[in-house]
Amino acid sequence: MAEYLSGAYFEVFLAGAGAVLAGRFTAVSGLGMELEYETYNEGGLNYPRFFFKETKPQVLTLQEGVVTDVDSVSVLMGMCNQGMSVPLAGTVILKDSFGAPQRVWNIVGAHLQKYMGPELDANQAAVAVSRIELLYNGCF
C-alpha cells in the first residue's frame, strides 16, 4: 500500500555564478529527461542499432511557492534583462510534512525562462511566487 504524503512540499535550491534560487513550492513538474536516438541499419542485420543523438530540453516548472532567499528572483531577472543567462545547478527535494527528505532530483544547466508573480488582491492571501519556468536538459 502506498504511503500518502499530506502536507508535503518541494524544497528547491539552484545556484549559479552570482545568482541563487531557493524556495519551497507546492507543485513541481517537468522532472524528467528525453533523449533522441538515431537509427542505423547495417546490411545483413535483422535489427537496427541505435545511436545517441541529443537530449531534448525540458521545462522545469515551480508553482505556488515562497522564495526563501532574499530577492533572488529579482537578481535573476535583472541579470536576464542585461543579457546574461546564468546556468543554475542544484537540487529539488520532496519533503514530507515533518521536513524529512523523501526523494531528490539533481538539476544541471537550468536557465530562467519565465516568471509569473502572484495576482495581487487585498481580499485574498497570496503566495509570493505563482510560477517559475526554467529550461534545462533533464535531471538525474
Side-chain angles (χ1 to χ4, degrees):
M1 182 173 180
E3 195 173 313
Y4 294 103
L5 302 173
S6 62
Y9 61 94
F10 292 92
E11 188 169 86
V12 177
F13 181 80
L14 301 171
V20 173
L21 175 60
R24 295 179 177 175
F25 299 88
T26 58
V28 173
S29 62
L31 289 168
M33 188 169 194
E34 187 174 348
L35 304 171
E36 187 174 339
Y37 290 93
E38 194 171 314
T39 306
Y40 178 72
N41 291 315
E42 291 181 338
L45 293 177
N46 292 333
Y47 57 91
R49 298 178 70 191
F50 297 100
F51 295 98
F52 174 73
K53 187 174 180 182
E54 65 183 349
T55 57
K56 293 185 178 181
Q58 303 293 307
V59 177
L60 176 65
T61 305
L62 313 172
Q63 294 180 329
E64 305 300 325
V66 177
V67 175
T68 56
D69 196 12
V70 179
D71 234 9
S72 59
V73 176
S74 64
V75 170
L76 274 171
M77 289 190 302
M79 292 173 92
C80 288
N81 283 335
Q82 294 175 4
M84 296 182 288
S85 182
V86 178
L88 303 173
T91 58
V92 175
I93 304 171
L94 172 62
K95 292 194 171 185
D96 63 15
S97 59
F98 300 107
Q102 298 295 316
R103 176 84 160 71
V104 177
W105 293 269
N106 293 313
I107 307 296
V108 177
H111 295 268
L112 181 64
Q113 177 177 314
K114 186 176 188 179
Y115 168 78
M116 291 175 54
E119 293 183 21
L120 301 176
D121 186 352
N123 296 322
Q124 294 181 349
V127 294
V129 174
S130 188
R131 184 182 185 104
I132 295 175
E133 293 181 6
L134 300 150
L135 189 66
Y136 76 115
N137 281 330
C139 62
F140 56 93

